Amino acid sequence: MTRTPIPRFDDNYSEDAAKARREFLTQQTGASLHHTGTYSLPPESLKSNTENFIGVVQMPVGVAGPVLIHGEHAQGWFYVPLATTEGTLVASYSRGMRMVSESGGVKVTVAEEFMQRAPLFEFEDARAAKRFLQWINENLAMVKAQAEKTTGFGKLEHIQTWQVARMVYTRFNYTTGDAAGQNMCGKATHAACQWVLKNSPEAISYFALSGAIETDKKHSHMNLLHSRGKRVIAEATIKREVLQRLARTTPETIFKQRQRSAIGAQLAGSAYSGPHSANGIAALFIATGQDEANVVESHTGMVFMDITADGDLYFSVTLPSVICATKGGGTGLATQAECLKILGCEGTGKARKLAEIVGATVLAGDLSLLSAILADEWVSSHDAYGRNR
């Protein structure tokens, strides 16, 4: 079989180029690309987002809510766009948002935020590695200055280090403004390390820009302890009357199930101890132009519940690695920018606001699904409205 390359052109982001590639694929595969080739966004807007552009995958977007959020940045009522093909998902999140809102809303806090790159340095022996660590600490201001020369937004806040044998594993921790910042941090760390390689008093026998301890686009226990992205904490006190009226359950029933499901999650080694954080995060990320691979890290977290002195349900979700942006990546594309506008999160100064909306959405979705399981409505709702029909 002869390899036939995909057509490329001098103007690779024109409508003519996209059409030529669709016709090429139809000829090669027999697939009709009528729907894929029907879109409203200008192809030239995709120059930094997609190569070999042929069209779009039209993802249905529903809107959940409204939800009342009391954040430090997100304050008021929000309608939340969710891109999904899973029947009942938007309806379930809307129900959770109603329960939360009728109980007074969700309080959301961004506790801290960092993005990392994690260089690896290797030396002749452990003594040399130890001396290098002391030198790095003494010259941190210079390393920081070299890194920050490459960016107007990124700030190198601190460097974590771990010595193993003759190797030094590091995590360069940055704040990145309204960008998710992986590429920003990579460029800044590369510049800093070039200075380190030239000036280190210890001979470096091996260097890699990533020693994998930043766990980029992978779940890890490291990021439960040391935030990657934004550490988001959402809290709500759900009134007993609201749970009984809207969810046909009680605080005691939910709390009892939580105690038991926590053991099941531990047995399974789950990355998230609640019902389904990835559902809402993925749908919201796709709608707003986030890097969808970041769902792997962002969905990680812990649920904590308690019964209040008044007999209501305290419900909290902690997400230590929410990686989201309101500038850069796919956030400026046509439909994604519209969804960000729905949330009031388009542009500069809005990344923490978006992260707070993510936290509130996850809490509402968890509350609704947990209630459906306990009221024995989980299967019946999918049979009536979802893909099981």
Side-chain angles (χ1 to χ4, degrees):
M1 179 181 290
T2 303
R3 177 183 180 274
T4 306
I6 298 167
R8 293 183 60 82
F9 306 89
D10 291 338
D11 184 0
N12 213 36
Y13 290 90
S14 67
E15 181 52 54
D16 288 342
K19 181 180 179 182
R21 279 190 287 269
R22 290 194 297 272
E23 291 173 349
F24 165 80
L25 288 173
T26 297
Q27 182 182 31
Q28 292 292 317
T29 69
S32 172
L33 299 174
H34 168 72
H35 293 290
T36 303
T38 302
Y39 47 84
S40 59
L41 58 82
E44 60 268 19
S45 69
L46 302 168
K47 288 185 178 179
S48 60
N49 294 102
T50 304
E51 296 75 46
N52 295 334
F53 173 69
I54 62 168
V56 299
V57 172
Q58 299 184 66
M59 187 78 167
V61 179
V63 61
V67 58
L68 180 60
I69 301 177
H70 306 294
E72 295 173 296
H73 306 275
Q75 299 174 358
W77 291 93
F78 292 87
Y79 298 90
V80 181
L82 300 174
T84 181
T85 59
E86 181 179 350
T88 77
L89 187 74
V90 176
S92 179
Y93 275 80
S94 285
R95 183 176 79 143
M97 290 174 181
R98 181 181 174 187
M99 285 191 281
V100 166
S101 299
E102 289 195 15
S103 297
V106 191
K107 181 186 291 185
V108 193
T109 304
V110 176
E112 65 178 7
E113 57 180 307
F114 299 109
M115 182 51 64
Q116 294 86 11
R117 188 55 63 198
L120 166 65
F121 303 89
E122 188 169 340
F123 303 88
E124 180 183 11
D125 56 24
R127 298 281 177 86
K130 181 180 178 181
R131 291 191 297 268
F132 173 79
L133 278 174
Q134 182 178 351
W135 177 81
I136 279 285
N137 289 330
E138 292 170 350
N139 289 272
L140 185 58
M142 183 59 73
V143 176
K144 176 179 170 68
Q146 295 298 316
E148 293 178 6
K149 281 182 180 179
T150 67
T151 171
F153 301 99
K155 301 295 180 184
L156 178 57
E157 298 294 337
H158 63 279
I159 301 175
Q160 297 165 285
T161 59
W162 295 267
Q163 183 176 348
V164 178
R166 63 191 183 189
M167 297 170 290
V168 172
Y169 289 84
T170 69
R171 270 173 55 120
F172 284 51
N173 287 265
Y174 297 82
T175 56
T176 59
D178 291 298
Q182 289 100 321
N183 293 335
M184 181 193 300
C185 294
K187 184 176 181 180
T189 305
H190 179 267
C193 288
Q194 292 305 302
W195 182 88
V196 170
L197 292 170
K198 291 177 182 177
N199 292 278
S200 170
E202 302 297 331
I204 299 172
S205 60
Y206 181 80
F207 165 77
L209 186 59
S210 173
I213 202 170
E214 75 270 72
T215 61
D216 190 13
K217 297 181 180 176
K218 298 178 285 292
H219 161 67
S220 73
H221 189 68
M222 172 70 77
N223 292 335
L224 279 175
L225 302 176
H226 305 286
S227 306
R228 179 172 169 84
K230 295 169 175 59
R231 180 173 289 261
V232 181
I233 302 168
E235 307 170 278
T237 298
I238 314 303
K239 295 178 181 177
R240 174 181 297 273
E241 179 274 328
V242 170
L243 282 175
Q244 291 174 329
R245 173 167 50 88
L246 296 180
R248 291 160 291 283
T249 189
T250 65
E252 291 81 7
T253 303
I254 290 181
F255 184 77
K256 184 175 182 177
Q257 170 62 17
R258 166 66 196 144
Q259 294 295 92
R260 286 148 181 79
S261 62
I263 294 174
Q266 185 178 11
L267 284 171
S270 296
Y272 180 64
S273 64
H276 68 152
S277 60
N279 249 337
I281 294 174
L284 186 48
F285 273 20
I286 293 170
T288 58
Q290 310 303 310
D291 185 334
E292 60 273 14
N294 287 333
V295 174
V296 173
E297 295 165 89
S298 300
H299 90 280
T300 301
M302 296 152 284
V303 167
F304 174 76
M305 294 183 195
D306 207 349
I307 305 295
T308 71
D310 295 329
D312 298 324
L313 179 70
Y314 171 82
F315 194 153
S316 74
V317 169
T318 299
L319 302 170
S321 300
V322 174
I323 302 172
C324 64
T326 56
K327 286 183 71 68
T331 63
L333 298 181
T335 54
Q336 290 85 343
E338 289 177 355
C339 287
L340 284 169
K341 285 181 180 178
I342 292 173
L343 296 168
C345 287
E346 185 188 29
T348 303
K350 303 295 177 61
R352 289 187 177 186
K353 181 179 181 180
L354 180 59
E356 290 178 348
I357 294 169
V358 170
T361 299
V362 169
L363 187 149
D366 277 7
L367 176 63
S368 183
L369 177 55
L370 191 53
S371 299
I373 293 170
L374 294 173
D376 197 22
E377 297 170 346
W378 186 19
V379 173
S380 61
S381 63
H382 273 278
D383 281 342
Y385 304 109
R387 59 178 58 162
N388 292 341
R389 116 204 102 158

